[in-house]
């Protein structure tokens, strides 16, 4: 169709750059790709517990509207209380996804005249929320405290600092204690996205903020459930005032149909299970140690990086691993800067030592 020539031109350019995104099925390959760090997305126990919770409810498959209309129900409010209590927060508000939570938080809380200072590797959902905000925004060099301090010194008015506790493309952690010190010194509001730390960081998987005892020094925390928690949705944690503010001003919360009770029941079931998965987290740590011994790298998290500069090179290495039955995906430009293309290897508690050894051997033999 002639009217769609502009779409074809854009797609053609992506193909020329070896950067065209495509949907793929994992098949029966060994999972070194998903964010299901603890295997809870495949847990029959969670499915059984969720079914037991919802079988007494009138509605299971739909919520009937937005939370402010017909979509609110006792189970979702119970989940907010349970999850907020686990994370040592006064209150929480559940969103349909981590993307919605970050979009909803950053688009409405910072106001005109405010400043948002964000890590340059912050997730796209936060960047999109910032774009919808009326506040000014500036990035600081990734995990660079000196650059963050410089930006704080130059900022006027109310200042928000946005970081992730564990970064999804590099597997490194933010220096949260030092960032808290800077925010305290400059009276800035700290927002921490704990998406990839939830379930993994801390003795009970409570996240890096709690592991370091920094809960009361954060203005807001975002915990998403689509990674180690093994389900869907997210929660923004903060004060009772923040919760009420979001209910009144956060458009991705106000103008969307609420999650169905089945999804919330899975959240509650997961939160009843993952805090006690000590053995699984210990096995995961042993696999991380093994991978680092074989491949090097600095990450002490389940996210490991194998650099393969150039889209085509990264694609070829990923394809070779997939031919050997290992589901490893290439991360290409423009998702990462040109020259920083890579394989993103994700380790899980259900992976075995033999699988990690096989992966390392194939990568090391690739030329």
């Amino acid at each position: 169709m002639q009217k769609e020539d502009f779409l074809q031109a854009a797609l053609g350019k992506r193909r020329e750059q070896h950067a065209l995104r495509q949907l793929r099925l994992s098949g029966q390959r060994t999972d070194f790709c998903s964010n299901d760090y603890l295997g809870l997305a495949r847990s029959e126990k969670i499915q059984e517990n969720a079914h037991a919770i919802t079988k007494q409810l009138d509605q299971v498959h739909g919520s009937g509207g937005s939370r402010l209309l017909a979509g609110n129900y006792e189970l979702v409010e119970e989940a907010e209380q349970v999850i907020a209590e686990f994370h040592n927060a006064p209150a929480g508000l559940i969103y349909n996804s981590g993307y919605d939570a970050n979009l909803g938080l950053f688009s409405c809380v910072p106001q005109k005249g405010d400043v948002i200072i964000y890590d340059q590797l912050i997730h796209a959902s936060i960047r999109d929320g910032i774009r919808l905000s009326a506040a000014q925004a500036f990035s600081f060099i990734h995990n660079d405290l000196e650059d963050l301090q410089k930006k704080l010194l130059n900022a006027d008015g109310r200042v928000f600092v946005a970081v992730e506790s564990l970064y999804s493309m590099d597997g490194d952690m933010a220096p949260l204690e030092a960032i808290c010190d800077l925010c305290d010194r400059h009276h800035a509001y700290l927002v921490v996205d704990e998406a990839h730390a939830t379930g993994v960081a801390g003795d009970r998987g409570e996240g890096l903020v709690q592991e370091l005892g920094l809960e009361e020094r954060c203005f807001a925390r975002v915990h998403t459930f689509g990674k180690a928690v093994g389900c869907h949705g997210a929660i923004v944690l903060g004060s009772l005032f923040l919760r009420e503010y979001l209910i009144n001003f956060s458009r991705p919360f106000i103008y969307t149909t609420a999650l169905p009770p089945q999804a919330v029941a899975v959240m509650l079931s997961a939160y009843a299970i993952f805090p006690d998965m000590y053995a699984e987290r210990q096995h995961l740590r042993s696999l991380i140690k093994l991978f680092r011994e074989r491949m090097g790298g600095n990450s002490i998290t389940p996210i490991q990086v194998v650099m393969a500069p150039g889209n085509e090179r990264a694609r070829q290495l990923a394809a070779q691993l997939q031919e050997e039955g290992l589901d490893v995906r290439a991360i290409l430009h423009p998702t990462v800067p040109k020259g920083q293309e890579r394989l993103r290897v994700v380790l899980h508690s259900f992976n075995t030592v033999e699988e990690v050894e096989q992966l390392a051997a194939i990568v090391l033999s690739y030329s």
Side-chain angles (χ1 to χ4, degrees):
M1 181 183 294
Q2 188 174 0
K3 290 182 179 179
E4 295 187 354
D5 287 349
F6 69 103
L7 301 179
Q8 296 178 31
L11 291 169
K13 187 174 181 181
R14 277 284 171 92
R15 286 191 186 90
E16 291 172 4
Q17 297 170 340
H18 304 287
L20 186 68
R21 294 185 174 102
Q22 294 176 302
L23 295 175
R24 300 179 186 277
L25 297 175
S26 298
Q28 300 300 313
R29 298 184 181 93
T30 300
D31 184 2
F32 282 112
C33 172
S34 79
N35 295 321
D36 185 23
Y37 303 122
L38 300 176
L40 289 179
R42 59 188 73 192
S43 169
E44 292 184 4
K45 185 177 181 181
I46 285 183
Q47 186 175 2
E48 292 168 1
N49 290 352
H51 178 70
I53 291 171
T54 58
K55 68 180 181 180
Q56 304 298 326
L57 301 176
D58 294 331
Q59 288 178 288
V60 175
H61 302 295
S63 59
S66 74
R67 289 279 299 276
L68 287 166
L69 295 175
N72 200 38
Y73 46 92
E74 290 182 5
L75 191 67
V76 70
E77 293 200 350
E78 176 189 342
E80 287 170 339
Q81 293 172 3
V82 167
I83 295 169
E85 182 178 346
F86 173 78
H87 288 295
N88 196 21
L93 187 67
I94 285 177
Y95 282 78
N96 288 12
S97 70
Y99 187 95
D100 285 338
N102 279 324
L103 197 73
L105 176 64
F106 284 94
S107 62
C108 78
V109 173
Q111 301 294 305
K112 186 174 182 180
D114 295 345
V115 174
I116 305 169
I117 303 173
Y118 61 94
D119 189 290
Q120 67 179 13
L121 296 188
I122 207 78
H123 192 266
S125 58
I126 296 177
R127 286 178 177 267
D128 288 353
I130 290 171
R131 289 191 185 101
L132 293 174
S133 168
Q136 285 188 296
F138 305 95
S139 67
F140 68 94
I141 299 169
H142 177 55
N143 280 347
D144 189 315
L145 297 172
E146 184 177 343
D147 194 43
L148 173 57
Q149 163 123 331
K150 186 188 305 180
K151 297 297 194 306
L152 285 166
L153 285 169
N154 292 329
D156 295 322
R158 188 164 43 222
V159 180
F160 295 86
V161 173
V163 300
E164 296 180 45
S165 55
L166 196 171
Y167 287 88
S168 62
M169 286 297 121
D170 291 87
D172 57 341
M173 291 182 171
L176 281 183
E177 290 176 299
I179 289 174
C180 279
D181 290 342
L182 283 175
C183 288
D184 289 345
R185 194 177 311 150
H186 295 275
H187 308 290
Y189 296 82
L190 178 61
V191 180
V192 182
D193 184 339
E194 291 260 47
H196 290 273
T198 309
V200 176
D203 186 49
R204 305 191 71 211
E206 63 270 26
L208 187 60
V209 170
Q210 279 173 270
E211 183 181 18
L212 299 174
L214 304 174
E215 304 96 303
E216 295 184 2
R217 300 173 72 182
C218 296
F219 169 72
R221 287 174 279 158
V222 178
H223 287 268
T224 69
F225 310 141
K227 281 76 176 176
V229 183
C231 53
H232 201 69
I235 192 167
V236 176
L237 300 173
S239 69
L240 288 165
F241 292 115
L242 176 61
R243 182 179 190 274
E244 186 175 12
Y245 182 92
L246 293 173
I247 289 171
N248 279 273
F249 295 101
S250 179
R251 293 170 70 86
F253 174 82
I254 296 167
Y255 297 109
T256 193
T257 300
L259 286 170
Q262 177 68 30
V264 177
V266 175
M267 290 178 201
L268 283 168
S269 300
Y271 266 84
I273 292 174
F274 81 74
D276 296 323
M277 296 179 72
Y278 302 106
E280 287 82 357
R281 278 187 287 274
Q282 181 56 42
H283 177 64
L284 183 54
R285 285 191 284 270
S286 71
L287 293 182
I288 293 167
K289 182 174 182 289
L290 173 63
F291 188 90
R292 292 183 66 196
E293 289 173 352
R294 296 292 184 269
M295 300 296 302
N298 298 317
S299 174
I300 59 171
T301 77
I303 301 168
Q304 301 292 319
V305 173
V306 176
M307 299 304 295
N311 280 354
E312 187 58 25
R313 176 177 171 81
R315 278 184 184 279
Q316 289 174 357
L317 180 51
Q320 183 172 341
L321 288 163
Q322 288 161 13
E323 287 177 6
E324 297 293 332
L326 306 179
D327 190 11
V328 178
R329 305 293 176 93
I331 307 297
L332 309 174
H333 174 75
T335 301
V336 293
K338 190 176 288 292
Q340 296 185 29
E341 296 82 3
R342 66 196 63 187
L343 301 187
R344 180 177 180 267
V345 177
V346 183
L347 303 175
H348 311 87
S349 62
F350 53 82
N351 289 136
T352 66
V353 169
E354 291 74 20
E355 289 167 347
V356 173
E357 293 278 16
Q358 180 190 9
L359 171 61
I362 294 171
V363 173
L364 290 171
S365 67
Y366 181 80
S367 57

